[in-house]
């Protein structure tokens, strides 16, 4: 479908137009802002990076620790020969 004629692609299709998007953006801009979090973030200039909640979540440290625990458990089971022992 070519839009070289300057007409809208589908005037009654329900597709958002620029004016609809602008109206929604203006409506959202006038909404009240959410209040601040109840717990304040630690200042990265004063504490180590792992004490700052946002940096710790971005680093993926908890995911890495969980994967490391499961890997150690699996390796321990393989070394012990657990589900394959013939006893």
């Amino acid at each position: 479908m070519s839009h070289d004629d300057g007409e809208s692609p589908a005037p009654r299709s329900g597709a958002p137009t620029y004016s609809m998007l602008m109206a929604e953006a203006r409506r959202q801009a006038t909404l009240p802002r959410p209040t601040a979090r109840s717990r304040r973030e630690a200042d990265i200039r004063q504490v180590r990076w792992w004490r700052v909640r946002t940096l710790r979540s971005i680093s993926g440290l908890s995911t890495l620790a969980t994967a490391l625990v499961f890997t150690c458990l699996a390796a321990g089971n393989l070394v012990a020969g657990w589900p394959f022992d013939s006893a």
Side-chain angles (χ1 to χ4, degrees), residues 14-66:
T17 62
Y18 181 77
S19 61
M20 290 169 54
L21 294 174
M22 281 299 296
E24 181 63 20
R26 284 191 183 105
R27 186 190 69 78
Q28 289 181 10
T30 60
L31 294 175
R33 298 280 182 192
T35 59
R37 294 181 183 173
S38 59
R39 294 178 57 196
R40 294 184 51 89
E41 288 276 348
D43 188 359
I44 187 63
R45 295 169 292 187
Q46 297 174 353
V47 297
R48 303 283 183 188
W49 71 269
W50 57 83
R51 300 269 185 200
V52 180
R53 190 178 339 118
T54 302
L55 294 178
R56 194 172 57 238
S57 67
I58 289 172
S59 72
L61 192 59
S62 61
T63 304
L64 177 65
T66 304

